[in-house]
Every structure is written in structure tokens, then in C-alpha cells.
Amino acid sequence: MTGTYPARLIDAVLEAGAKEKQAAWTAWTVLYILLGLVQEEQAAPGRFDDRPAGAVDAGTHPAGRP
């Protein structure tokens, strides 16, 4: 079932008049962006919020002070 969505996307781009290589790259790009957005939305809220504060020491990195 997983392979049907990319194939349908490629078919739709081909039907719109794109060449095979362009259709494949378009489908890959759309799916890559979609997966990136899903991964970003599923990140635990607040999980990494304190990393910069703990990693930057005001003594060694004075430009990082608030």
C-alpha cells in the first residue's frame, strides 16, 4: 500500500505534462518536505528549549549572553 501514493503522485505530475525525470524529482521533493514537516510537528514540545542556555557559558561566549 505504501508504494501507491508516490506512484499516484508521479502519475498526476506526468498527466500535467511533465517529463518522467521531472515527475520523479517533483514527487520525491514533495514527499521529502512532507516527511520533514511531519517530523517537526511530532517533536516533543519544549524538549529542546533549554539546550542553548545550557550549552553557552557567558564566560567563554560573551556574545551569547541575554
Tab-separated table of all heavy atoms in Angstrom:
chain	number	residue	atom	x	y	z
A	1	MET	N	0.817	-1.192	0.000
A	1	MET	CA	0.000	0.000	0.000
A	1	MET	C	0.861	1.257	0.000
A	1	MET	O	0.466	2.276	-0.499
A	1	MET	CB	-0.920	-0.032	1.219
A	1	MET	CG	-1.953	1.072	1.223
A	1	MET	SD	-3.061	1.023	-0.171
A	1	MET	CE	-4.585	0.688	0.598
A	2	THR	N	2.056	1.194	0.592
A	2	THR	CA	2.900	2.381	0.688
A	2	THR	C	3.312	2.906	-0.687
A	2	THR	O	3.357	4.102	-0.899
A	2	THR	CB	4.172	2.064	1.502
A	2	THR	OG1	3.769	1.559	2.762
A	2	THR	CG2	5.006	3.299	1.710
A	3	GLY	N	3.585	2.021	-1.610
A	3	GLY	CA	4.046	2.442	-2.930
A	3	GLY	C	2.986	3.082	-3.793
A	3	GLY	O	3.300	3.672	-4.820
A	4	THR	N	1.729	3.005	-3.418
A	4	THR	CA	0.683	3.555	-4.273
A	4	THR	C	0.644	5.076	-4.247
A	4	THR	O	0.343	5.694	-5.251
A	4	THR	CB	-0.697	3.017	-3.868
A	4	THR	OG1	-0.964	3.378	-2.527
A	4	THR	CG2	-0.762	1.515	-4.027
A	5	TYR	N	0.944	5.696	-3.114
A	5	TYR	CA	0.871	7.155	-3.036
A	5	TYR	C	1.933	7.839	-3.895
A	5	TYR	O	1.605	8.746	-4.654
A	5	TYR	CB	0.926	7.620	-1.581
A	5	TYR	CG	-0.257	7.115	-0.787
A	5	TYR	CD1	-0.103	6.136	0.166
A	5	TYR	CD2	-1.531	7.604	-1.035
A	5	TYR	CE1	-1.192	5.656	0.883
A	5	TYR	CE2	-2.626	7.133	-0.326
A	5	TYR	CZ	-2.449	6.165	0.629
A	5	TYR	OH	-3.530	5.695	1.318
A	6	PRO	N	3.194	7.429	-3.803
A	6	PRO	CA	4.181	8.039	-4.694
A	6	PRO	C	3.860	7.781	-6.172
A	6	PRO	O	4.028	8.667	-7.008
A	6	PRO	CB	5.498	7.381	-4.294
A	6	PRO	CG	5.285	6.933	-2.893
A	6	PRO	CD	3.830	6.563	-2.805
A	7	ALA	N	3.389	6.588	-6.488
A	7	ALA	CA	3.054	6.281	-7.874
A	7	ALA	C	1.912	7.156	-8.379
A	7	ALA	O	1.940	7.652	-9.506
A	7	ALA	CB	2.687	4.803	-8.017
A	8	ARG	N	0.926	7.374	-7.539
A	8	ARG	CA	-0.191	8.247	-7.932
A	8	ARG	C	0.268	9.684	-8.096
A	8	ARG	O	-0.185	10.390	-8.991
A	8	ARG	CB	-1.309	8.168	-6.903
A	8	ARG	CG	-2.051	6.862	-6.930
A	8	ARG	CD	-3.171	6.856	-5.927
A	8	ARG	NE	-3.831	5.570	-5.899
A	8	ARG	CZ	-4.827	5.275	-5.088
A	8	ARG	NH1	-5.276	6.170	-4.241
A	8	ARG	NH2	-5.376	4.077	-5.116
A	9	LEU	N	1.160	10.124	-7.227
A	9	LEU	CA	1.686	11.474	-7.329
A	9	LEU	C	2.478	11.638	-8.626
A	9	LEU	O	2.319	12.629	-9.347
A	9	LEU	CB	2.559	11.795	-6.120
A	9	LEU	CG	3.187	13.178	-6.060
A	9	LEU	CD1	2.134	14.275	-6.146
A	9	LEU	CD2	4.000	13.321	-4.788
A	10	ILE	N	3.310	10.670	-8.943
A	10	ILE	CA	4.080	10.717	-10.189
A	10	ILE	C	3.145	10.694	-11.387
A	10	ILE	O	3.329	11.448	-12.346
A	10	ILE	CB	5.105	9.562	-10.243
A	10	ILE	CG1	6.201	9.798	-9.209
A	10	ILE	CG2	5.707	9.419	-11.636
A	10	ILE	CD1	7.152	8.647	-9.029
A	11	ASP	N	2.129	9.854	-11.352
A	11	ASP	CA	1.155	9.809	-12.451
A	11	ASP	C	0.462	11.149	-12.638
A	11	ASP	O	0.264	11.610	-13.768
A	11	ASP	CB	0.109	8.718	-12.202
A	11	ASP	CG	0.667	7.324	-12.389
A	11	ASP	OD1	1.733	7.184	-13.030
A	11	ASP	OD2	0.033	6.370	-11.873
A	12	ALA	N	0.114	11.807	-11.537
A	12	ALA	CA	-0.556	13.102	-11.631
A	12	ALA	C	0.363	14.147	-12.259
A	12	ALA	O	-0.071	14.948	-13.096
A	12	ALA	CB	-1.012	13.561	-10.253
A	13	VAL	N	1.628	14.123	-11.873
A	13	VAL	CA	2.581	15.085	-12.443
A	13	VAL	C	2.824	14.774	-13.917
A	13	VAL	O	2.935	15.692	-14.742
A	13	VAL	CB	3.897	15.104	-11.627
A	13	VAL	CG1	4.918	16.019	-12.251
A	13	VAL	CG2	3.630	15.512	-10.188
A	14	LEU	N	2.886	13.506	-14.268
A	14	LEU	CA	3.044	13.125	-15.678
A	14	LEU	C	1.834	13.571	-16.502
A	14	LEU	O	1.995	14.062	-17.624
A	14	LEU	CB	3.240	11.609	-15.807
A	14	LEU	CG	4.597	11.065	-15.373
A	14	LEU	CD1	4.573	9.544	-15.351
A	14	LEU	CD2	5.699	11.576	-16.294
A	15	GLU	N	0.653	13.397	-15.946
A	15	GLU	CA	-0.560	13.818	-16.651
A	15	GLU	C	-0.618	15.333	-16.824
A	15	GLU	O	-1.245	15.833	-17.757
A	15	GLU	CB	-1.803	13.332	-15.914
A	15	GLU	CG	-2.035	11.841	-16.037
A	15	GLU	CD	-3.239	11.366	-15.256
A	15	GLU	OE1	-4.081	12.207	-14.879
A	15	GLU	OE2	-3.323	10.151	-15.009
A	16	ALA	N	0.064	16.061	-15.946
A	16	ALA	CA	0.104	17.518	-16.052
A	16	ALA	C	1.070	17.983	-17.135
A	16	ALA	O	1.109	19.160	-17.458
A	16	ALA	CB	0.491	18.135	-14.719
A	17	GLY	N	1.830	17.034	-17.700
A	17	GLY	CA	2.699	17.369	-18.820
A	17	GLY	C	4.185	17.328	-18.535
A	17	GLY	O	4.982	17.694	-19.392
A	18	ALA	N	4.575	16.907	-17.359
A	18	ALA	CA	6.000	16.842	-17.029
A	18	ALA	C	6.638	15.608	-17.648
A	18	ALA	O	5.959	14.620	-17.944
A	18	ALA	CB	6.183	16.805	-15.521
A	19	LYS	N	7.945	15.674	-17.831
A	19	LYS	CA	8.696	14.512	-18.306
A	19	LYS	C	8.930	13.570	-17.124
A	19	LYS	O	8.743	13.953	-15.966
A	19	LYS	CB	10.019	14.964	-18.902
A	19	LYS	CG	9.832	15.796	-20.162
A	19	LYS	CD	11.150	16.192	-20.747
A	19	LYS	CE	10.886	17.025	-21.999
A	19	LYS	NZ	12.102	17.464	-22.638
A	20	GLU	N	9.336	12.339	-17.407
A	20	GLU	CA	9.479	11.327	-16.353
A	20	GLU	C	10.455	11.736	-15.256
A	20	GLU	O	10.165	11.586	-14.070
A	20	GLU	CB	9.911	9.999	-16.967
A	20	GLU	CG	8.819	9.311	-17.754
A	20	GLU	CD	9.246	7.951	-18.273
A	20	GLU	OE1	10.303	7.442	-17.843
A	20	GLU	OE2	8.510	7.389	-19.099
A	21	LYS	N	11.614	12.256	-15.650
A	21	LYS	CA	12.617	12.645	-14.651
A	21	LYS	C	12.086	13.782	-13.775
A	21	LYS	O	12.246	13.760	-12.559
A	21	LYS	CB	13.905	13.069	-15.350
A	21	LYS	CG	15.035	13.384	-14.403
A	21	LYS	CD	16.320	13.692	-15.155
A	21	LYS	CE	17.445	13.988	-14.201
A	21	LYS	NZ	18.706	14.249	-14.903
A	22	GLN	N	11.441	14.755	-14.393
A	22	GLN	CA	10.885	15.878	-13.638
A	22	GLN	C	9.766	15.409	-12.706
A	22	GLN	O	9.659	15.865	-11.570
A	22	GLN	CB	10.365	16.944	-14.586
A	22	GLN	CG	9.862	18.182	-13.880
A	22	GLN	CD	9.307	19.210	-14.846
A	22	GLN	OE1	9.059	18.924	-16.010
A	22	GLN	NE2	9.112	20.425	-14.353
A	23	ALA	N	8.952	14.484	-13.152
A	23	ALA	CA	7.867	13.955	-12.323
A	23	ALA	C	8.423	13.207	-11.113
A	23	ALA	O	7.918	13.357	-9.992
A	23	ALA	CB	6.974	13.039	-13.148
A	24	ALA	N	9.466	12.425	-11.325
A	24	ALA	CA	10.072	11.679	-10.221
A	24	ALA	C	10.685	12.626	-9.194
A	24	ALA	O	10.494	12.458	-7.986
A	24	ALA	CB	11.125	10.720	-10.755
A	25	TRP	N	11.412	13.629	-9.652
A	25	TRP	CA	12.021	14.589	-8.733
A	25	TRP	C	10.963	15.417	-8.014
A	25	TRP	O	11.109	15.738	-6.835
A	25	TRP	CB	12.993	15.507	-9.473
A	25	TRP	CG	14.353	14.904	-9.586
A	25	TRP	CD1	14.904	14.320	-10.690
A	25	TRP	CD2	15.335	14.788	-8.562
A	25	TRP	NE1	16.166	13.860	-10.409
A	25	TRP	CE2	16.458	14.140	-9.105
A	25	TRP	CE3	15.369	15.177	-7.226
A	25	TRP	CZ2	17.599	13.869	-8.365
A	25	TRP	CZ3	16.518	14.908	-6.488
A	25	TRP	CH2	17.617	14.263	-7.065
A	26	THR	N	9.907	15.759	-8.697
A	26	THR	CA	8.830	16.526	-8.067
A	26	THR	C	8.186	15.704	-6.955
A	26	THR	O	7.966	16.203	-5.848
A	26	THR	CB	7.774	16.943	-9.103
A	26	THR	OG1	8.404	17.755	-10.098
A	26	THR	CG2	6.637	17.706	-8.472
A	27	ALA	N	7.895	14.453	-7.230
A	27	ALA	CA	7.282	13.583	-6.220
A	27	ALA	C	8.226	13.390	-5.039
A	27	ALA	O	7.804	13.457	-3.875
A	27	ALA	CB	6.926	12.233	-6.834
A	28	TRP	N	9.499	13.170	-5.307
A	28	TRP	CA	10.469	12.980	-4.235
A	28	TRP	C	10.540	14.234	-3.368
A	28	TRP	O	10.563	14.145	-2.136
A	28	TRP	CB	11.843	12.678	-4.838
A	28	TRP	CG	12.885	12.361	-3.807
A	28	TRP	CD1	13.167	11.149	-3.272
A	28	TRP	CD2	13.771	13.289	-3.172
A	28	TRP	NE1	14.177	11.257	-2.348
A	28	TRP	CE2	14.564	12.565	-2.276
A	28	TRP	CE3	13.969	14.656	-3.282
A	28	TRP	CZ2	15.533	13.153	-1.493
A	28	TRP	CZ3	14.942	15.250	-2.490
A	28	TRP	CH2	15.703	14.493	-1.617
A	29	THR	N	10.570	15.414	-3.990
A	29	THR	CA	10.656	16.670	-3.251
A	29	THR	C	9.426	16.892	-2.391
A	29	THR	O	9.531	17.273	-1.217
A	29	THR	CB	10.842	17.846	-4.226
A	29	THR	OG1	12.021	17.610	-5.005
A	29	THR	CG2	10.967	19.159	-3.488
A	30	VAL	N	8.248	16.662	-2.941
A	30	VAL	CA	7.010	16.851	-2.182
A	30	VAL	C	6.975	15.904	-0.985
A	30	VAL	O	6.657	16.321	0.136
A	30	VAL	CB	5.773	16.638	-3.089
A	30	VAL	CG1	4.499	16.537	-2.269
A	30	VAL	CG2	5.667	17.763	-4.104
A	31	LEU	N	7.316	14.651	-1.194
A	31	LEU	CA	7.296	13.690	-0.090
A	31	LEU	C	8.368	13.991	0.952
A	31	LEU	O	8.137	13.854	2.156
A	31	LEU	CB	7.445	12.270	-0.629
A	31	LEU	CG	6.271	11.793	-1.479
A	31	LEU	CD1	6.579	10.455	-2.130
A	31	LEU	CD2	5.013	11.706	-0.654
A	32	TYR	N	9.533	14.445	0.508
A	32	TYR	CA	10.616	14.790	1.427
A	32	TYR	C	10.199	15.954	2.322
A	32	TYR	O	10.408	15.932	3.535
A	32	TYR	CB	11.866	15.144	0.618
A	32	TYR	CG	13.095	15.391	1.450
A	32	TYR	CD1	13.841	14.328	1.949
A	32	TYR	CD2	13.530	16.681	1.726
A	32	TYR	CE1	14.976	14.546	2.703
A	32	TYR	CE2	14.662	16.916	2.486
A	32	TYR	CZ	15.382	15.834	2.961
A	32	TYR	OH	16.497	16.060	3.714
A	33	ILE	N	9.605	16.991	1.726
A	33	ILE	CA	9.137	18.138	2.500
A	33	ILE	C	8.019	17.718	3.451
A	33	ILE	O	7.992	18.120	4.615
A	33	ILE	CB	8.681	19.276	1.565
A	33	ILE	CG1	9.892	19.868	0.859
A	33	ILE	CG2	7.917	20.349	2.318
A	33	ILE	CD1	9.554	20.848	-0.232
A	34	LEU	N	7.104	16.905	2.965
A	34	LEU	CA	6.004	16.442	3.800
A	34	LEU	C	6.521	15.665	5.006
A	34	LEU	O	6.085	15.900	6.144
A	34	LEU	CB	5.048	15.572	2.982
A	34	LEU	CG	3.883	14.956	3.749
A	34	LEU	CD1	2.952	16.050	4.236
A	34	LEU	CD2	3.140	13.978	2.878
A	35	LEU	N	7.455	14.764	4.790
A	35	LEU	CA	8.005	13.989	5.909
A	35	LEU	C	8.750	14.892	6.887
A	35	LEU	O	8.687	14.688	8.105
A	35	LEU	CB	8.925	12.890	5.391
A	35	LEU	CG	8.227	11.739	4.676
A	35	LEU	CD1	9.260	10.786	4.087
A	35	LEU	CD2	7.284	11.008	5.598
A	36	GLY	N	9.441	15.904	6.390
A	36	GLY	CA	10.126	16.847	7.260
A	36	GLY	C	9.155	17.626	8.129
A	36	GLY	O	9.389	17.834	9.319
A	37	LEU	N	8.049	18.063	7.527
A	37	LEU	CA	7.050	18.797	8.294
A	37	LEU	C	6.389	17.910	9.342
A	37	LEU	O	6.147	18.350	10.477
A	37	LEU	CB	5.990	19.380	7.355
A	37	LEU	CG	6.462	20.514	6.450
A	37	LEU	CD1	5.365	20.874	5.456
A	37	LEU	CD2	6.878	21.724	7.256
A	38	VAL	N	6.111	16.669	8.996
A	38	VAL	CA	5.507	15.741	9.955
A	38	VAL	C	6.463	15.495	11.116
A	38	VAL	O	6.061	15.522	12.281
A	38	VAL	CB	5.128	14.412	9.263
A	38	VAL	CG1	4.781	13.347	10.283
A	38	VAL	CG2	3.973	14.633	8.301
A	39	GLN	N	7.741	15.293	10.801
A	39	GLN	CA	8.729	15.059	11.852
A	39	GLN	C	8.825	16.276	12.773
A	39	GLN	O	8.902	16.134	13.990
A	39	GLN	CB	10.086	14.764	11.233
A	39	GLN	CG	11.168	14.503	12.245
A	39	GLN	CD	12.504	14.233	11.586
A	39	GLN	OE1	12.661	14.349	10.379
A	39	GLN	NE2	13.485	13.873	12.381
A	40	GLU	N	8.809	17.459	12.200
A	40	GLU	CA	8.891	18.677	13.007
A	40	GLU	C	7.678	18.823	13.917
A	40	GLU	O	7.801	19.184	15.089
A	40	GLU	CB	8.992	19.889	12.088
A	40	GLU	CG	9.124	21.201	12.811
A	40	GLU	CD	9.231	22.373	11.858
A	40	GLU	OE1	9.706	22.203	10.735
A	40	GLU	OE2	8.820	23.470	12.261
A	41	GLU	N	6.502	18.516	13.410
A	41	GLU	CA	5.285	18.649	14.204
A	41	GLU	C	5.199	17.602	15.304
A	41	GLU	O	4.548	17.821	16.319
A	41	GLU	CB	4.049	18.554	13.304
A	41	GLU	CG	3.841	19.767	12.432
A	41	GLU	CD	3.575	21.023	13.243
A	41	GLU	OE1	2.849	20.948	14.246
A	41	GLU	OE2	4.114	22.073	12.880
A	42	GLN	N	5.846	16.462	15.114
A	42	GLN	CA	5.776	15.403	16.107
A	42	GLN	C	6.847	15.515	17.182
A	42	GLN	O	6.871	14.721	18.113
A	42	GLN	CB	5.873	14.031	15.419
A	42	GLN	CG	4.643	13.695	14.619
A	42	GLN	CD	4.737	12.336	13.968
A	42	GLN	OE1	5.785	11.710	13.937
A	42	GLN	NE2	3.633	11.868	13.420
A	43	ALA	N	7.717	16.493	17.057
A	43	ALA	CA	8.754	16.678	18.073
A	43	ALA	C	8.080	17.021	19.406
A	43	ALA	O	7.062	17.694	19.453
A	43	ALA	CB	9.699	17.794	17.661
A	44	ALA	N	8.668	16.532	20.460
A	44	ALA	CA	8.105	16.791	21.789
A	44	ALA	C	8.173	18.282	22.096
A	44	ALA	O	9.242	18.880	21.991
A	44	ALA	CB	8.877	16.002	22.831
A	45	PRO	N	7.065	18.890	22.475
A	45	PRO	CA	7.084	20.321	22.764
A	45	PRO	C	7.940	20.637	23.991
A	45	PRO	O	7.840	19.971	25.018
A	45	PRO	CB	5.615	20.664	23.022
A	45	PRO	CG	4.955	19.380	23.346
A	45	PRO	CD	5.760	18.306	22.668
A	46	GLY	N	8.796	21.631	23.849
A	46	GLY	CA	9.635	22.056	24.952
A	46	GLY	C	10.822	21.162	25.232
A	46	GLY	O	11.600	21.432	26.133
A	47	ARG	N	10.986	20.107	24.491
A	47	ARG	CA	12.036	19.140	24.780
A	47	ARG	C	13.432	19.735	24.597
A	47	ARG	O	14.344	19.431	25.347
A	47	ARG	CB	11.858	17.926	23.882
A	47	ARG	CG	12.866	16.837	24.122
A	47	ARG	CD	12.526	15.618	23.315
A	47	ARG	NE	13.617	14.680	23.363
A	47	ARG	CZ	13.740	13.656	22.580
A	47	ARG	NH1	12.827	13.421	21.666
A	47	ARG	NH2	14.737	12.834	22.670
A	48	PHE	N	13.629	20.571	23.587
A	48	PHE	CA	14.952	21.108	23.293
A	48	PHE	C	15.056	22.599	23.606
A	48	PHE	O	16.010	23.243	23.232
A	48	PHE	CB	15.293	20.866	21.824
A	48	PHE	CG	15.327	19.414	21.464
A	48	PHE	CD1	14.366	18.878	20.633
A	48	PHE	CD2	16.308	18.586	21.975
A	48	PHE	CE1	14.387	17.534	20.307
A	48	PHE	CE2	16.336	17.248	21.648
A	48	PHE	CZ	15.375	16.719	20.817
A	49	ASP	N	14.097	23.152	24.283
A	49	ASP	CA	14.083	24.591	24.530
A	49	ASP	C	15.235	25.074	25.399
A	49	ASP	O	15.679	26.200	25.269
A	49	ASP	CB	12.764	25.015	25.157
A	49	ASP	CG	11.592	24.863	24.216
A	49	ASP	OD1	11.800	24.720	23.000
A	49	ASP	OD2	10.469	24.896	24.702
A	50	ASP	N	15.746	24.251	26.314
A	50	ASP	CA	16.789	24.701	27.226
A	50	ASP	C	18.194	24.352	26.751
A	50	ASP	O	19.162	24.666	27.426
A	50	ASP	CB	16.543	24.131	28.616
A	50	ASP	CG	16.569	22.612	28.633
A	50	ASP	OD1	16.448	22.005	27.553
A	50	ASP	OD2	16.712	22.049	29.726
A	51	ARG	N	18.335	23.734	25.609
A	51	ARG	CA	19.673	23.356	25.133
A	51	ARG	C	20.600	24.543	24.927
A	51	ARG	O	21.731	24.511	25.394
A	51	ARG	CB	19.592	22.533	23.851
A	51	ARG	CG	19.162	21.117	24.086
A	51	ARG	CD	19.359	20.256	22.872
A	51	ARG	NE	18.939	20.950	21.670
A	51	ARG	CZ	19.206	20.532	20.439
A	51	ARG	NH1	19.874	19.431	20.251
A	51	ARG	NH2	18.792	21.194	19.395
A	52	PRO	N	20.188	25.609	24.234
A	52	PRO	CA	21.123	26.718	24.038
A	52	PRO	C	21.563	27.364	25.348
A	52	PRO	O	22.731	27.698	25.524
A	52	PRO	CB	20.335	27.704	23.178
A	52	PRO	CG	19.334	26.867	22.478
A	52	PRO	CD	18.979	25.786	23.450
A	53	ALA	N	20.658	27.527	26.282
A	53	ALA	CA	21.003	28.159	27.555
A	53	ALA	C	22.029	27.332	28.323
A	53	ALA	O	22.937	27.871	28.959
A	53	ALA	CB	19.751	28.357	28.392
A	54	GLY	N	21.915	26.027	28.285
A	54	GLY	CA	22.846	25.163	28.995
A	54	GLY	C	24.169	24.986	28.271
A	54	GLY	O	25.189	24.686	28.885
A	55	ALA	N	24.201	25.196	26.979
A	55	ALA	CA	25.408	24.968	26.196
A	55	ALA	C	26.301	26.199	26.101
A	55	ALA	O	27.474	26.084	25.829
A	55	ALA	CB	25.015	24.511	24.791
A	56	VAL	N	25.743	27.384	26.324
A	56	VAL	CA	26.504	28.622	26.169
A	56	VAL	C	26.864	29.163	27.552
A	56	VAL	O	25.999	29.474	28.354
A	56	VAL	CB	25.699	29.682	25.372
A	56	VAL	CG1	26.464	30.980	25.297
A	56	VAL	CG2	25.376	29.150	23.996
A	57	ASP	N	28.149	29.263	27.797
A	57	ASP	CA	28.635	29.823	29.050
A	57	ASP	C	28.996	31.281	28.816
A	57	ASP	O	29.704	31.621	27.870
A	57	ASP	CB	29.873	29.030	29.505
A	57	ASP	CG	30.478	29.573	30.780
A	57	ASP	OD1	29.726	30.139	31.604
A	57	ASP	OD2	31.706	29.413	30.952
A	58	ALA	N	28.505	32.180	29.671
A	58	ALA	CA	28.741	33.611	29.496
A	58	ALA	C	30.218	33.952	29.572
A	58	ALA	O	30.655	34.932	28.981
A	58	ALA	CB	27.955	34.399	30.541
A	59	GLY	N	31.001	33.158	30.276
A	59	GLY	CA	32.433	33.428	30.383
A	59	GLY	C	33.198	33.127	29.098
A	59	GLY	O	34.081	33.865	28.696
A	60	THR	N	32.852	32.019	28.463
A	60	THR	CA	33.560	31.629	27.240
A	60	THR	C	32.894	32.156	25.970
A	60	THR	O	33.533	32.247	24.938
A	60	THR	CB	33.684	30.101	27.147
A	60	THR	OG1	32.397	29.531	27.203
A	60	THR	CG2	34.548	29.558	28.264
A	61	HIS	N	31.617	32.488	26.054
A	61	HIS	CA	30.869	33.006	24.909
A	61	HIS	C	30.110	34.263	25.323
A	61	HIS	O	28.893	34.245	25.490
A	61	HIS	CB	29.880	31.959	24.393
A	61	HIS	CG	30.530	30.708	23.896
A	61	HIS	ND1	30.786	29.642	24.727
A	61	HIS	CD2	30.978	30.363	22.676
A	61	HIS	CE1	31.354	28.680	24.024
A	61	HIS	NE2	31.504	29.089	22.778
A	62	PRO	N	30.817	35.387	25.500
A	62	PRO	CA	30.142	36.591	25.987
A	62	PRO	C	29.062	37.112	25.037
A	62	PRO	O	28.120	37.763	25.478
A	62	PRO	CB	31.269	37.604	26.163
A	62	PRO	CG	32.414	37.073	25.405
A	62	PRO	CD	32.231	35.598	25.314
A	63	ALA	N	29.174	36.835	23.761
A	63	ALA	CA	28.161	37.304	22.815
A	63	ALA	C	26.847	36.543	22.990
A	63	ALA	O	25.816	36.983	22.521
A	63	ALA	CB	28.645	37.158	21.381
A	64	GLY	N	26.859	35.402	23.665
A	64	GLY	CA	25.667	34.612	23.872
A	64	GLY	C	24.870	35.012	25.092
A	64	GLY	O	23.837	34.417	25.387
A	65	ARG	N	25.311	36.027	25.813
A	65	ARG	CA	24.563	36.485	26.992
A	65	ARG	C	23.259	37.141	26.593
A	65	ARG	O	23.203	37.840	25.587
A	65	ARG	CB	25.400	37.463	27.801
A	65	ARG	CG	26.576	36.820	28.491
A	65	ARG	CD	27.277	37.819	29.314
A	65	ARG	NE	27.901	38.809	28.393
A	65	ARG	CZ	28.746	39.741	28.746
A	65	ARG	NH1	29.045	39.897	30.011
A	65	ARG	NH2	29.267	40.557	27.886
A	66	PRO	N	22.227	36.955	27.403
A	66	PRO	CA	20.947	37.611	27.101
A	66	PRO	C	20.984	39.103	27.365
A	66	PRO	O	21.775	39.627	28.039
A	66	PRO	CB	19.948	36.938	28.044
A	66	PRO	CG	20.734	36.063	28.947
A	66	PRO	CD	22.132	36.042	28.493
